């Protein structure tokens, strides 16, 4: 059938299926995403982006060998593709130690939770990072569970394995505000070279905490980037930064705006 399609029809189908694959990924419909990306490859069998998306879908389904094979095809047609190279290394580790994925599966972030809202959302890099075997199970867009353990704020994956900890000053603030009745959610924004960056958002402010800002600008101290653009959650950015946010699925658009920085000094008594 594809042999009878004109070039214009093939391009139209490619865009349609690509958009559909992105939507399916955002909804966590990975079985459907596998088939949709295969549809693209039936027409464009040398398309690296489709192989990357296929690899991502297989990876989310726990089919690590199939995912590895898909990323290998990416490198066949795009040898310098950084997304494929990083995922092949990660998958090789998973295949080596592999058991099936947890029956709980991997929870994904609802992108609507991370739209711009100054003072309620921030980005931070974790400390006391887990081993590479645990980090290999973590991907951009996964839900990160916040768990208070004494004076530390642990970050765990869906299998309750500790990924790392929120740095102490920010952790103290979130613990204080949580004990005051606030609620927070978090998700993985970047995982690379043994480093993990998460996004944290206040989703409920207790009446007792009225007027207290979760992530204020204090004009000094360490900087935590405010997470203010939903475009930053797109899952196929190929940033040039050393600590990038690369993944296979994204919704293209204007990313000319820059995220502003919010500075945080960990002072619980001073509120702006």
């Amino acid at each position: 059938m594809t042999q009878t399609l004109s070039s214009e029809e093939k391009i139209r189908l490619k865009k349609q299926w690509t958009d559909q694959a992105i939507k399916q990924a955002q909804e966590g419909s990975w079985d459907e995403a596998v088939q949709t990306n295969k549809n693209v490859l039936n027409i464009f069998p040398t398309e690296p982006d489709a192989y990357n998306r296929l690899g991502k879908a297989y990876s989310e389904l726990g089919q690590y060998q199939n995912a590895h094979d898909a990323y290998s095809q990416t490198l066949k047609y795009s040898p310098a593709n950084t997304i494929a190279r990083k995922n092949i290394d990660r998958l090789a580790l998973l295949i080596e130690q592999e058991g099936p994925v947890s029956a709980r599966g991997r929870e994904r972030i609802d992108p609507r939770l991370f739209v711009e809202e100054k003072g309620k959302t921030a980005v931070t890099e974790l400390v006391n990072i887990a081993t590479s075997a645990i980090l290999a199970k973590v991907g951009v867009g996964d839900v990160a569970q916040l768990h208070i353990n004494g004076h530390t704020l642990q970050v765990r994956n869906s299998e309750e394995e500790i990924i790392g900890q929120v740095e102490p000053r920010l952790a103290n603030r979130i613990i204080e505000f949580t004990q005051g009745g606030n609620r927070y959610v978090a998700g993985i924004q970047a995982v690379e070279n043994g480093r993990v960056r998460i996004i944290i958002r206040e989703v409920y402010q207790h009446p007792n905490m009225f007027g207290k800002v979760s992530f204020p600008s204090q004009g000094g101290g360490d900087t935590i980037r405010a997470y203010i653009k939903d475009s930053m959650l797109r899952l196929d950015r190929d940033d040039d930064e050393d600590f990038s946010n690369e993944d296979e699925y994204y919704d293209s658009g204007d990313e000319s705006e820059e995220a502003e920085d919010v500075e945080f000094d960990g002072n619980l008594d001073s509120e702006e």
Side-chain angles (χ1 to χ4, degrees):
M1 176 184 174
T2 58
Q3 298 298 325
T4 62
L5 295 174
S6 67
S7 297
E8 291 78 8
E9 289 172 324
K10 289 181 180 180
I11 292 173
R12 178 181 57 80
L13 281 175
K14 178 184 177 182
K15 183 180 187 308
Q16 175 184 324
W17 281 329
T18 297
D19 291 344
Q20 184 176 343
I22 292 169
K23 183 174 185 294
Q24 289 165 340
Q26 292 171 339
E27 296 171 348
S29 301
W30 298 110
D31 284 309
E32 291 84 353
V34 166
Q35 186 55 55
T36 302
N37 286 300
K38 284 183 175 180
N39 289 343
V40 175
L41 291 168
N42 283 338
I43 300 179
F44 297 94
T46 64
E47 177 61 41
D49 289 342
Y51 279 117
N52 269 351
R53 293 192 300 267
L54 181 61
K56 176 68 172 180
Y58 276 136
S59 182
E60 291 292 335
L61 291 169
Q63 299 179 30
Y64 298 141
Q65 187 60 59
N66 286 340
H68 188 279
D69 294 344
Y71 287 120
S72 296
Q73 287 295 105
T74 298
L75 293 182
K76 178 179 178 181
Y77 301 112
S78 179
N81 192 286
T82 57
I83 292 175
R85 280 192 280 108
K86 291 173 184 176
N87 278 285
I88 281 178
D89 292 341
R90 178 180 66 87
L91 287 162
L93 181 59
L94 285 173
I95 291 169
E96 179 181 344
Q97 59 177 7
E98 170 143 63
V101 290
S102 166
R104 296 178 58 188
R106 286 164 61 179
E107 301 174 89
R108 304 293 290 178
I109 295 171
D110 181 349
R112 293 172 298 180
L113 294 177
F114 296 98
V115 296
E116 176 177 352
E117 195 161 1
K118 186 176 180 180
K120 290 195 174 184
T121 315
V123 171
T124 187
E125 188 173 332
L126 299 185
V127 298
N128 299 328
I129 299 299
T131 64
S132 57
I134 292 177
L135 294 186
K137 304 177 185 179
V138 178
V140 175
D142 289 355
V143 168
Q145 300 177 11
L146 300 176
H147 181 81
I148 297 174
N149 183 23
H151 296 293
T152 64
L153 186 60
Q154 297 175 342
V155 179
R156 301 180 178 183
N157 63 18
S158 60
E159 298 181 9
E160 297 292 336
E161 297 170 314
I162 299 173
I163 302 168
Q165 297 175 356
V166 176
E167 61 89 11
R169 286 185 292 177
L170 178 57
N172 286 338
R173 187 177 189 85
I174 294 175
I175 291 171
E176 177 87 4
F177 279 35
T178 299
Q179 291 172 342
N182 281 12
R183 293 199 296 268
Y184 299 86
V185 296
I188 304 297
Q189 190 196 51
V191 183
E192 186 173 354
N193 299 327
R195 300 166 66 188
V196 180
R197 189 169 61 212
I198 66 168
I199 43 184
I200 305 174
R201 180 178 176 85
E202 173 198 300
V203 292
Y204 172 75
Q205 184 180 68
H206 193 277
N208 292 340
M209 304 298 289
F210 180 76
K212 296 185 177 182
V213 180
S214 288
F215 309 110
S217 178
Q218 297 286 355
D222 293 341
T223 298
I224 295 176
R225 294 187 65 189
Y227 188 80
I228 65 168
K229 272 174 60 66
D230 58 350
S231 63
M232 291 176 67
L233 193 59
R234 294 169 186 160
L235 300 185
D236 192 17
R237 298 183 61 201
D238 193 1
D239 294 341
D240 293 329
E241 299 174 356
D242 291 338
F243 193 26
S244 61
N245 179 18
E246 292 185 343
D247 210 334
E248 297 74 1
Y249 287 83
Y250 73 106
D251 184 9
S252 60
D254 183 6
E255 296 189 10
S256 59
E257 300 176 27
E258 295 183 356
E260 66 181 68
D261 287 345
V262 169
E263 294 182 347
F264 172 76
D265 68 1
N267 186 341
L268 296 178
D269 300 321
S270 174
E271 301 294 339
E272 294 292 337

